[in-house]
Amino acid sequence: MWPPWKRSPSRTQTPKNFKCSSFKDIHNLCNEEPEEILPRKPNIFQRVRLANAVIRTWSHPAPVPPQKTTVSPSPPLPSASPSSPLEPGTPIPIALPEAEKRIVVYYTSLRVVRKTFEDCRTVRSIFRGFRVSTDERDLSMDSGFLEELQAILGSKEQITLPRVFIGGRYIGGAEEIQQLHESGELKRFVEGFPSTDGGACEECGGYRFLLCEKCHGSHKCHTENVGFKSCEACNENGLIRCSSCSTSSGFDLPNLKNRN
C-alpha cells in the first residue's frame, strides 16, 4: 500500500463534503456579465479640429447689424426771391444795404490758409460759370472790407471766408454755395442779375484795383504847407477800385472812402 503522500492526485479521494452542481447551471455559469459601455473619448484629431473651430469663431465674430440713424432735417434754404415776406417767428436775415441788384462776394486772395484760399477760389469759379457779374471784395487788398463785413454780420471775432450776398441778402459761405449749386437752386437765385462775358478787365487785369493816381501807390501826399500826409483817395495799400470793372458790371461802386 502506498503511503498517503505518494499517491497520485488522480486517485485522491473526493472529500465527503464536495457537492457538484447539475448541468442545468452550466448556462448560468457560461453567461458573462454585460460590460458597462463607457462613453468614447474623442481622439487627438477631433480635439484639434474642435479647438481650431473655436479659435476661428473668436477671431471672426458675427457682424453686428447696422443701427438705424435718424437724420435731422436740414434747415430750409433761403428763398429765391429776397424780397418775399417772412413767416411769423422767422429771424430777420442778414442784409447788405444798397446791394439789392448785386452779387457780392467777400473773399481773400492770400494763400496763407490753404483751405480758405481754395474755398474762395471755388466760390468765385461757380459764379463765373454762370457768367453773372459779381462784386468781388478782396479783404487782403483792402482792410476796410473786413470792417464792413464785421459790421454787417455783427461780429468782431475772426470771420471765415468766403461770404456771399445775393440781392442784398446773406446766403452763406463755401459750403452753402456748393450745396445750392449741386441742388440746382443757385441757378434760380442768380437769374435776373447782370451778365458778363467772363473776360478779364483790360484796365486792371481782373484784380479790381489800380494804383492811386495822386500818390502813385505810396499812400502819402506832399504839400508845401503841411508836408507829407496820408492820401485820402486810396486805401492803406495805395490802391483804388477799378472804375472799368464797376461800369462793365452794370453798377457803380463808390470810392473806398465813401463805400456803402
Side-chain angles (χ1 to χ4, degrees):
M1 215 51 197
W2 294 94
W5 57 273
K6 291 185 178 181
R7 292 178 182 175
S8 172
S10 60
R11 297 180 182 181
T12 305
Q13 296 180 358
T14 305
K16 293 180 180 182
N17 57 354
F18 175 77
K19 292 182 179 181
C20 179
S21 61
S22 60
F23 287 98
K24 65 180 180 179
D25 296 331
I26 294 177
H27 298 284
N28 296 332
L29 296 175
C30 293
N31 290 335
E32 298 180 355
E33 296 181 359
E35 296 181 357
E36 184 179 359
I37 301 176
L38 299 176
R40 186 176 181 182
K41 296 182 179 181
N43 57 19
I44 185 65
F45 299 102
Q46 293 177 349
R47 284 181 286 177
V48 170
R49 191 181 302 111
L50 179 61
N52 292 335
V54 173
I55 293 174
R56 285 196 300 269
T57 304
W58 288 351
S59 59
H60 300 283
V64 180
Q67 299 180 356
K68 296 183 179 180
T69 57
T70 58
V71 180
S72 59
S74 57
L77 297 176
S79 175
S81 57
S83 60
S84 59
L86 298 176
E87 298 181 359
T90 305
I92 300 176
I94 302 174
L96 180 63
E98 301 181 8
E100 290 77 11
K101 297 181 180 180
R102 306 181 190 177
I103 300 176
V104 182
V105 179
Y106 289 90
Y107 76 102
T108 179
S109 58
L110 293 180
R111 300 172 181 259
V112 177
V113 182
R114 183 178 181 84
K115 185 179 185 306
T116 301
F117 175 77
E118 294 292 340
D119 291 342
C120 294
R121 185 173 62 176
T122 300
V123 169
R124 294 172 64 197
S125 299
I126 291 175
F127 284 107
R128 290 178 181 179
F130 290 111
R131 294 187 178 276
V132 292
S133 59
T134 57
D135 181 6
E136 298 180 351
R137 302 185 178 184
D138 191 353
L139 274 67
S140 61
M141 300 289 284
D142 184 9
S143 61
F145 289 145
L146 176 59
E147 299 175 359
E148 179 180 282
L149 183 59
Q150 289 177 343
I152 296 171
L153 300 179
S155 175
K156 296 296 183 180
E157 299 179 358
Q158 185 177 3
I159 298 176
T160 58
L161 297 175
R163 298 298 178 99
V164 180
F165 293 82
I166 299 179
R169 176 174 293 186
Y170 175 65
I171 302 300
E175 184 177 355
E176 289 79 9
I177 296 300
Q178 290 179 2
Q179 290 179 356
L180 289 174
H181 181 51
E182 293 174 358
S183 63
E185 292 291 328
L186 187 60
K187 182 179 181 181
R188 193 157 57 93
F189 272 54
V190 300
E191 290 179 353
F193 287 93
S195 59
T196 181
D197 55 359
C201 177
E202 296 181 358
E203 188 172 352
C204 67
Y207 291 100
R208 308 271 181 169
F209 286 93
L210 293 173
L211 289 177
C212 179
E213 297 179 356
K214 292 184 178 181
C215 64
H216 303 284
S218 63
H219 192 53
K220 296 292 182 180
C221 294
H222 182 269
T223 59
E224 295 180 357
N225 298 330
V226 181
F228 287 96
K229 66 176 183 178
S230 299
C231 180
E232 297 180 356
C234 60
N235 60 7
E236 69 279 2
N237 296 321
L239 302 175
I240 59 175
R241 296 293 298 272
C242 178
S243 58
S244 298
C245 293
S246 60
T247 303
S248 61
S249 299
F251 49 83
D252 295 331
L253 295 178
N255 198 352
L256 293 177
K257 294 297 181 180
N258 302 316
R259 68 171 66 92
N260 49 357

